């Protein structure tokens, strides 16, 4: 949901007409009246091994995992066939590599990787001719998630002690305590 919100904010920053209602696919809801933009994340691909950092915050050990991901996002602009929104969509597709658009998406943490041209699809609804303009774009983003790491405080090892010379075989339980006493200085 964070990625879709970032996309919507960037689109508003580049002047998407306010009468286009952005909606997120795969969410329950009612289809809005035309014109609208359906935003659909088709796939997410991890781009490398994640990086990790560890910090100590408020008595907790916090691990952050930073993963670079590519998001293939499909934009489906739905409007009547003769609506001027299609002119804006064509302008958007042409300008996607411009500095203005690049800056707007970068401000939301998204980098443009690739884009395809516009695919048009007729979509008649109740005797009225609508047209869908579909643009697939791959954006790259770094995703950061934080986790509180549980420290190891005690380890218990169970095993068998074998003394081949004496012929003894006994069970052994050994506990190693990693907690420092409260008054001990690091």
């Amino acid at each position: 949901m964070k990625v879709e919100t970032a996309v919507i904010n960037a689109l508003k920053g580049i002047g998407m007409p306010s009468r286009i209602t952005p909606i997120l696919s795969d969410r329950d809801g009612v289809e809005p009246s035309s014109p609208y933009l359906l935003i659909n994340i088709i796939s997410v691909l991890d781009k490398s091994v994640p990086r990790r950092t560890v910090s100590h915050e408020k008595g907790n050990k916090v691990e952050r995992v930073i993963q670079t991901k590519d998001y293939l996002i499909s934009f489906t602009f739905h409007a009547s066939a003769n609506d001027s929104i299609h002119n804006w969509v064509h302008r958007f597709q042409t300008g996607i590599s411009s500095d203005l658009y690049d800056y707007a998406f970068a401000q939301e943490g998204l980098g443009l990787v690739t884009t395809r041209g516009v695919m048009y699809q007729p979509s008649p609804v109740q005797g009225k001719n609508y047209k869908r303009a579909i643009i697939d774009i791959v954006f790259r983003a770094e995703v950061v998630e934080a986790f509180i790491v549980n420290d190891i405080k005690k380890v218990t090892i169970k095993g068998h002690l074998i003394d081949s010379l004496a012929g003894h075989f006994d069970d052994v339980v050994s506990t190693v305590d990693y907690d420092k006493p409260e008054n001990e200085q690091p």
Side-chain angles (χ1 to χ4, degrees):
M1 184 100 153
K2 291 177 185 178
V3 172
E4 293 103 324
T5 302
V7 166
I8 291 169
N9 289 339
L11 289 170
K12 289 178 180 177
I14 60 173
M16 180 175 73
S18 60
R19 63 188 189 98
I20 297 176
T21 304
I23 58 173
L24 307 177
S25 70
D26 302 328
R27 309 286 195 269
D28 271 346
V30 178
E31 182 176 340
S33 60
S34 175
Y36 64 85
L37 165 61
L38 180 66
I39 300 170
N40 182 23
I41 295 181
I42 295 173
S43 66
V44 180
L45 177 66
D46 292 345
K47 287 307 294 176
S48 61
V49 176
R51 300 181 317 272
R52 295 183 307 156
T53 64
V54 177
S55 61
H56 298 276
E57 302 170 14
K58 299 179 184 175
N60 293 316
K61 187 185 291 183
V62 178
E63 180 181 49
R64 285 186 175 69
V65 177
I66 302 114
Q67 176 68 59
T68 303
K69 296 180 179 270
D70 279 357
Y71 293 87
L72 172 55
I73 301 178
S74 181
F75 295 85
T76 303
F77 293 90
H78 179 86
S80 64
N82 58 359
D83 194 317
S84 64
I85 290 298
H86 292 291
N87 294 332
W88 185 85
V89 171
H90 181 72
R91 177 178 167 79
F92 168 72
Q93 192 278 326
T94 302
I96 194 67
S97 296
S98 72
D99 286 342
L100 172 67
Y101 289 18
D102 189 46
Y103 176 79
F105 284 105
Q107 291 304 300
E108 296 298 325
L110 301 170
L112 177 68
V113 178
T114 61
T115 184
R116 289 194 223 160
V118 180
M119 294 183 301
Y120 290 102
Q121 182 181 67
S123 182
V125 178
Q126 296 177 351
K128 190 171 181 183
N129 193 17
Y130 289 90
K131 183 165 69 170
R132 290 181 168 219
I134 303 165
I135 303 172
D136 293 339
I137 301 174
V138 176
F139 291 102
R140 184 164 291 157
E142 280 194 344
V143 177
V144 179
E145 294 290 345
F147 304 92
I148 294 178
V149 178
N150 297 321
D151 286 333
I152 296 175
K153 302 203 185 264
K154 185 185 289 188
V155 175
T156 301
I157 301 169
K158 294 181 181 180
H160 301 289
L161 180 63
I162 301 172
D163 185 348
S164 59
L165 294 176
H168 286 294
F169 298 96
D170 292 324
D171 289 336
V172 174
V173 176
S174 177
T175 300
V176 179
D177 197 358
Y178 287 102
D179 280 339
K180 293 181 184 176
E182 294 291 325
N183 57 2
E184 184 179 322
Q185 297 293 327

